[in-house]
Structures are given as C-alpha cells and as structure tokens.
Amino acid sequence: MCGIVGYVGHQAAGPILLEGLQRLEYRGYDSSGIAVLDHDGALSVMKREGKLRDLQAAIERMPGGATGIGHTRWATHGQPSDRNAHPHASSSGDVIVVQNGIVENYRELKAELQERLDAEGRSWQSDTDTEVIPELISRELAAGKSFGDALASAIGRLRGANAIAAVHRGSPNRIYAARKGSAGGIVIGYGDGEMFVASDLPALLPHTTSVYHLEDGEIAAIDPESVTIRGQGGTQFQPEPTQVDLDPVAIARGPFRHFMLKEIHEQPRALSDTIRGRARLEPASALPDDLDLPTETLASIERVLVIGMGTSLHAAMIGRWWIEQIAGIPADFDNASEFRFRAPLLGPSTLVVAVTQSGETIDTLGAMNHVRDRWGAPQVVITNVDGSEATRQADTSIIIRCGPEVGVASTKTFVGSLAALYLLACRIGHAQGRLSTEALSKRLEQLLTAPSLLERGIGQAARCAQIAQLFGAASNFLVLGRGIEYPLAMEAALKCKEISYVHAEGYAAGEMKHGPIALLDQGFPVIALAPRGPLFDKMTSTIQQVRARRAPVIAVGDEGDAELAELVDHFIAVPPAPPLLTPFSLTPVVQLLAYQLALTRGLDIDQPRNLAKTVTVE
Ligand code: AGP
C-alpha cells in the first residue's frame, strides 16, 4: 500500500518522480505528492488529493531540482485530502519524509513531541501517523546528530512495519531510504551518475535493471554516484547491485483498454510460463527443480495447510481440493489473517503452503511468521515476485513467472498460482507413493491442456459483454458453485465487488436452501457455475429451485449442453474440461463478466475505489 519513489542525479527530478508514481499508482491513489530540492537546498513541495493526474498540472509550475522524493497514498490515518497527502515535513520545514506502513505508536510519539511544538508555537500539519517521523528526525538533528544518525534514532523509536524515503535541506544532493519490517519493499536503482528509489520494480525498469533491494533494518544514504548502507548494528557497506530480468514491455498496457483486460488475455501465456519445465512427461515428474525440500520431507508430510488472502485464498481453496484428490492426503485452507489468531495445531509434519502473488501481503507474512516461530513446520510460498519478503521467510518458493500484474484485480496470477498448486499436489502425491508414475503422467498431460482451456474461455468475451449489458443495472448477484467450482463462485463474487461495486455473494450451491434463497425474486440474478461433472445433477436441482423463485439464471456450462441451456435464462458456453480442471475453463468467464459489468457502469477498472494492489498494513 502506498508507493514511494526517489531520484538523485543530474536531470530534473519532477518528471522522473511523476513517471515513477504513475507506474506505482496501483499501490494507492487517494492522493499524491512530490518534494524537490535544488542544489542550493531550496525546497518545493506539491501535493494533491485524488488521482495523479490532479498533481500533474501542478507539477509543471514547480521550480526545478535534481533531487526529490514522491508518494502515492492509500489512506490509513486521516482521510484523503491535500493536508494528509505525503510528503510530510518537520515543523522546522527542513526534513521531508514519505512513508509506506503504519507508525503504530504514533499517538504516544505525538504526545511526547507535543510539548516542544507548543513551546515553539507550532502545530501538526496533518492527521497522519507519518508526520511524527520528520519531527522525530528534526529533534535528533537539533540535538547535534548527523542526518544518518538522526534517521536511525527516529526509526528505532517507531513501532510497526515501515518503508521510508527522506530528504534534508542540508544535504541537497542526497536522498535517504529505510526499511523496517515488511511494509512492502524499497528498491534502489543504479543509473549512470544518477540513482532511483521505488517501492517496486516497475517504477525503475524504464531507467535501469541494476538494483539493490533494501533489507529489513537497513538505511541507505543515496548519492548520484554511490550508495552507502547502514545495516542493523550500525555496520556500513556499499552494496553490490544485481541485474533484474524483466521486460519493460511487460508493464505497458499495449492495445488493451485496461490492464485487467490485458492480463486476462495474457493468462494462457502466463500459465504456460508457470508450468514450463515443471510438468515433465518422460519420465513423469512435477516441479523437478523447484522445491528445495528433501524428498523425505515431502514423503513424510501428513497434512497440508494452504493459506492466503482474497483471490489467493480462493486459489488456496482450490489447492486444498487438488491436494486431497491428487496427493490423497488431508488438506485444509485458511484465511491468513484469521489463522494466527486462533490456536491452530500444526506440528512439524504439516506442510504450510502460502499463496501470495505479491509476496508482501502483511496478513500472509504474519501467518508465515507464526508458523515459523510457533511450529517450525516446513513452508512453501507460491508467489509472482522473486525476492519478495515471503520468499525470504519460506523454506522454498515456487515463482509463478506471470510477469508484473498491474491491474488491482488479480487475474493472471490467480491461474499461475493454481497451476503451481496443481503441480505441488502432483509432486507430493508422487513423493508419497500415492500417485503412480503413470497416474502422474496422466495428471500432467491434463494440466498441459489448461492454456487452451483458458484461451477458449477468453473466447467468450463477447457473450460476457452481452450478459453484462442485460444485467448492468442489477444491484445484487448470487454466484453458486459446487465442489471445485465453489471457490470460483467466491472469486466471481469478489471480482464483482471489487471492480463493479456490485453486491455479490459466492455460495456453495447446497447452502442456498439454508438461507440465501430468501433473497431471491425476479430482480435478483443468479450465476450458476455448472459444467458437467460428478455434481452436475445436484447443481441442476439447485437451478430448478432458483427458477421456481423466478430469479433469472445465468448458467456457465459446457459447450453443447443443450439441456442446461434450455433450463436457464442465459447460457455462457465454456470448453468441456476434465473434472479437476474446470477452474481453468471457468476463470476467464467469471473475470470477464465482472470486467464487462464494470465497463457498463463506467467504473475505473484498474484503480477501483478504496483498494490497493498490495496490502501491507493490518
Ligand atoms: C484480488 O483481486 C485482490 N486485489 C486481493 O484480494 C488480493 O488477492 C489479496 O490482497 C492478496 O494479495 P496477494 O496475493 O498479493 O497476497
């Protein structure tokens, strides 16, 4: 949540910061701002409530300067407003800070600093927790410390996970960056006589692929030609940058109207990239090179727990299904934010699988921490971001290689995570001797058809647009699924809520009679996920019950299923898939329905209100 950028070098900082913020806007877009310093220490700060375009015009009138920091905000403390937008300054005006995270003890720190502010006849300029940071630094400077020491002392006083960038009037050719805990990353990009800072790689890629990821507890002093890190314990060193292998084209929208649409269309390619080299047929093996866990560990696992949040939780629910069905061992899923506050009983023979596309979701990281500290159980993370905090915490990682996902709604990383879970289920089943080599080979062959299932599902875009036109004014939807389609019903409802702002509930179809049916009437459309499979007859009984209440039914079923098409009001055909692979044929349709509904309603699809791509605060 929140995006941070920084620049120090020989070019005008303003446009570079603005462009970086545009690439990070998916992390928050309640307000934005930048601060620029010129060589003589003259400082200009510009900030605006609302989208970045509202800041853009104002920046054109800003004085120049080759050093600066910027921020795009997802509000936590203090509502979105010019006043609460970052950057925030010390009351003396010489220390400027942008922050991602939460200062959990800000009330206590504010109270402590209040007396001095009162004595000086000054007052707080915002309602944020952030403002205590420049004030603390300023106090330490006044006590005679160097800026680096003052920043280190101030950070030492903060509770909670925080990533910070700062500039100081007294050091006009330097920016500072610091990271404490898991509040999203800070990456330093190395240019030619210039340096860049950002919360995430997409903001750096147009400038450089030579980067250093700040570790927890590190503070960087960044000059145009060099970076000096102060590590935990005060040691100082100059880090070695590494090269990242990411194509800047991957973060361009291309001919698509929205990133979400682009990313839906990228799914067949993304899934192929996830499984490349990991679904070998001769001899059959799943994930032959990825899992850095001894085969004995995999062979001795007695249970698997899959955790995640949001869309990743829905992937976890489907993963649970596959682990039971394919690997043949007990499996559960859990909402990561709830898991650690219960008293879960794991033991060392439980394998914990964390699903998190960003690898930075604070709830999931919290659950992983709990697993490590309390149980010492082995942990695998399934993530799209190599080097993310989750990969550092887990024993081993499966990187899904989907390429950057920019749309706030997760799409291609959902199918990438699913593919990784399917492969993991195959690998565990084989290691345990419950899945013969022949059966493994069959499972993998089926998985290899998934890109084409996705492709054909995407082919239903026009039909989804027609349905969205018909139901664009509906205020509610019930989405029903059974078995492996139940988590997909939940995913469909989540997508409707987050980008179309439609109230939608995903339910296990069998549950409908136990309460939700009371909602139904002619004005309450029901989406039924009903491909042919072992539970199809039960699903059609549910559809009959819905129709008896006169609620319109939109069914998503197998191509050529005339009987189902006849039974319902509207039918969307998907390719018939093997029973365990229906998530791949249905996913594009549930995504496209939500996308088209949002389009019909004229909503901001890539930046839905109140959301941020990566949730790094609790
Ligand atoms: C999905 O469309 C949402 N943006 C959200 O639910 C997301 O899946 C969730 O925040 C988890 O994110 P992660 O996969 O990065 O951990």
Side-chain angles (χ1 to χ4, degrees):
M1 320 213 95
C2 301
I4 289 176
V5 292
Y7 175 79
V8 58
H10 46 79
Q11 303 187 59
I16 294 174
L17 296 172
L18 192 68
E19 193 210 354
L21 290 178
Q22 278 161 351
R23 292 176 190 278
L24 294 184
E25 209 179 1
Y26 67 88
R27 298 175 71 96
Y29 31 79
D30 293 334
S31 61
S32 55
I34 66 172
V36 172
L37 271 175
D38 74 10
H39 291 299
D40 301 321
L43 175 75
S44 329
V45 178
M46 197 65 82
K47 42 197 201 174
R48 285 284 182 279
E49 180 189 346
K51 296 275 171 70
L52 209 45
R53 57 179 172 263
D54 300 323
L55 180 73
Q56 197 159 2
I59 282 181
E60 278 156 21
R61 299 190 299 273
M62 227 175 147
T67 303
I69 55 178
H71 188 266
T72 178
R73 178 170 187 245
W74 186 87
T76 61
H77 296 62
Q79 63 189 29
S81 63
D82 288 358
R83 170 182 162 84
N84 290 330
H86 296 220
H88 290 288
S90 58
S91 56
S92 60
D94 56 354
V95 180
I96 312 289
V97 166
V98 293
Q99 170 224 17
N100 176 19
I102 291 180
V103 180
E104 291 173 359
N105 54 337
Y106 80 100
R107 280 195 196 84
E108 192 181 312
L109 294 170
K110 266 195 164 176
E112 176 189 319
L113 294 161
Q114 188 70 50
E115 206 178 314
R116 298 278 296 270
L117 281 183
D118 289 345
E120 291 162 4
R122 292 171 170 167
S123 57
W124 297 105
Q125 298 300 306
S126 77
D127 315 310
T128 65
D129 55 333
T130 314
E131 205 182 340
V132 298
I133 306 172
E135 201 56 41
L136 278 173
I137 299 171
S138 176
R139 298 291 157 189
E140 300 286 351
L141 283 172
K145 287 190 176 160
S146 68
F147 193 87
D149 288 344
L151 180 59
S153 305
I155 288 172
R157 303 283 320 275
L158 309 181
R159 263 204 326 267
N162 281 288
I164 292 162
V167 288
H168 176 221
R169 266 195 172 144
S171 321
N173 299 316
R174 173 174 283 185
I175 50 179
Y176 292 85
R179 183 175 161 202
K180 183 179 191 183
S182 315
I186 288 265
V187 198
I188 301 168
Y190 288 65
D192 188 6
E194 56 189 350
M195 297 282 179
F196 307 83
V197 168
S199 302
D200 212 346
L201 284 173
L204 300 182
L205 285 183
H207 305 288
T208 179
T209 51
S210 180
V211 304
Y212 177 74
H213 290 265
L214 218 56
E215 298 280 350
D216 183 11
E218 288 183 346
I219 297 174
I222 305 161
D223 299 330
E225 304 278 354
S226 67
V227 176
T228 306
I229 303 287
R230 173 195 293 245
Q232 274 175 342
T235 50
Q236 298 216 356
F237 63 96
Q238 302 215 312
E240 261 318 301
T242 53
Q243 289 298 321
V244 287
D245 180 21
L246 261 182
D247 179 1
V249 174
I251 50 168
R253 189 152 45 80
F256 293 93
R257 190 159 168 194
H258 295 100
F259 276 106
M260 182 181 177
L261 189 62
K262 174 186 181 233
E263 287 157 2
I264 290 173
H265 278 81
E266 281 176 349
Q267 292 182 116
R269 197 269 309 144
L271 190 140
S272 301
D273 284 349
T274 305
I275 62 182
R276 186 173 12 94
R278 291 167 166 169
R280 290 195 193 147
L281 293 180
E282 286 183 10
S285 64
L287 295 169
D289 308 317
D290 290 87
L291 290 188
D292 194 13
L293 286 177
T295 303
E296 307 82 70
T297 305
L298 287 175
S300 62
I301 288 163
E302 291 171 8
R303 179 173 166 246
V304 180
L305 173 68
V306 197
I307 56 172
M309 297 299 295
T311 293
S312 291
L313 175 61
H314 300 148
M317 293 168 75
I318 294 171
R320 188 267 300 254
W321 189 273
W322 282 331
I323 291 159
E324 285 176 346
Q325 300 266 329
I326 299 175
I329 61 170
D332 282 313
F333 66 85
D334 212 334
N335 175 305
S337 67
E338 290 292 320
F339 163 76
R340 72 191 152 118
F341 299 109
R342 297 191 285 108
L345 301 173
L346 295 188
S349 55
T350 300
L351 176 71
V352 174
V353 181
V355 185
T356 165
Q357 78 81 21
S358 62
E360 303 287 352
T361 297
I362 197 147
D363 306 285
T364 309
L365 294 176
M368 292 175 75
N369 261 319
H370 180 76
V371 168
R372 190 191 53 228
D373 296 347
R374 174 73 181 82
W375 295 104
Q379 299 195 60
V380 181
V381 65
I382 293 175
T383 181
N384 198 31
V385 185
D386 201 359
S388 59
E389 186 59 22
T391 62
R392 294 162 208 242
Q393 285 197 22
D395 296 292
T396 184
S397 314
I398 305 173
I399 308 298
I400 58 178
R401 309 171 184 150
C402 291
E405 188 175 69
V406 179
V408 165
S410 295
T411 51
K412 61 179 178 175
T413 57
F414 177 61
V415 300
S417 300
L418 288 182
L421 284 161
Y422 186 99
L423 287 165
L424 186 61
C426 288
R427 173 77 187 269
I428 295 170
H430 198 228
Q432 298 230 339
R434 294 166 197 267
L435 189 67
S436 67
T437 304
E438 199 187 354
L440 171 66
S441 174
K442 201 162 159 222
R443 291 285 182 208
L444 295 177
E445 270 176 28
Q446 289 187 338
L447 180 65
L448 295 175
T449 66
S452 123
L453 294 174
L454 287 167
E455 194 81 64
R456 289 166 66 194
I458 293 167
Q460 290 303 311
R463 180 72 182 129
C464 293
Q466 283 171 350
I467 303 284
Q469 285 291 337
L470 289 173
F471 291 95
S475 320
N476 300 287
F477 283 91
L478 190 62
V479 193
L480 299 176
R482 276 200 95 118
I484 201 166
E485 285 97 38
Y486 163 43
L488 273 181
M490 298 193 61
E491 176 61 6
L494 174 64
K495 286 286 164 285
C496 285
K497 281 182 264 214
E498 69 177 335
I499 60 161
S500 327
Y501 312 157
V502 182
H503 173 239
E505 297 288 346
Y507 260 94
E511 183 72 15
M512 188 196 66
K513 301 183 288 298
H514 300 276
I517 196 166
L519 293 166
L520 300 185
D521 60 20
Q522 293 103 311
F524 204 123
V526 174
I527 301 172
L529 305 180
R532 291 271 167 174
L535 297 172
F536 179 76
D537 289 343
K538 293 191 186 304
M539 193 68 201
T540 49
S541 302
T542 304
I543 291 173
Q544 296 281 17
Q545 292 154 14
V546 172
R547 296 204 61 219
R549 274 79 195 170
R550 298 202 172 83
V553 179
I554 304 149
V556 188
D558 287 353
E559 272 164 17
D561 192 338
E563 187 191 334
L564 179 64
E566 186 78 4
L567 177 65
V568 300
D569 302 278
H570 307 278
F571 183 67
I572 305 176
V574 291
L580 290 186
L581 291 189
T582 52
F584 296 111
S585 55
L586 294 170
T587 290
V589 167
V590 304
Q591 295 166 342
L592 285 164
L593 274 174
Y595 173 82
Q596 291 293 346
L597 271 176
L599 207 59
T600 312
R601 292 165 171 241
L603 300 173
D604 190 345
I605 292 176
D606 285 330
Q607 295 180 347
R609 67 184 178 205
N610 304 338
L611 289 175
K613 179 79 181 158
T614 310
V615 179
T616 55
V617 295
E618 280 191 286

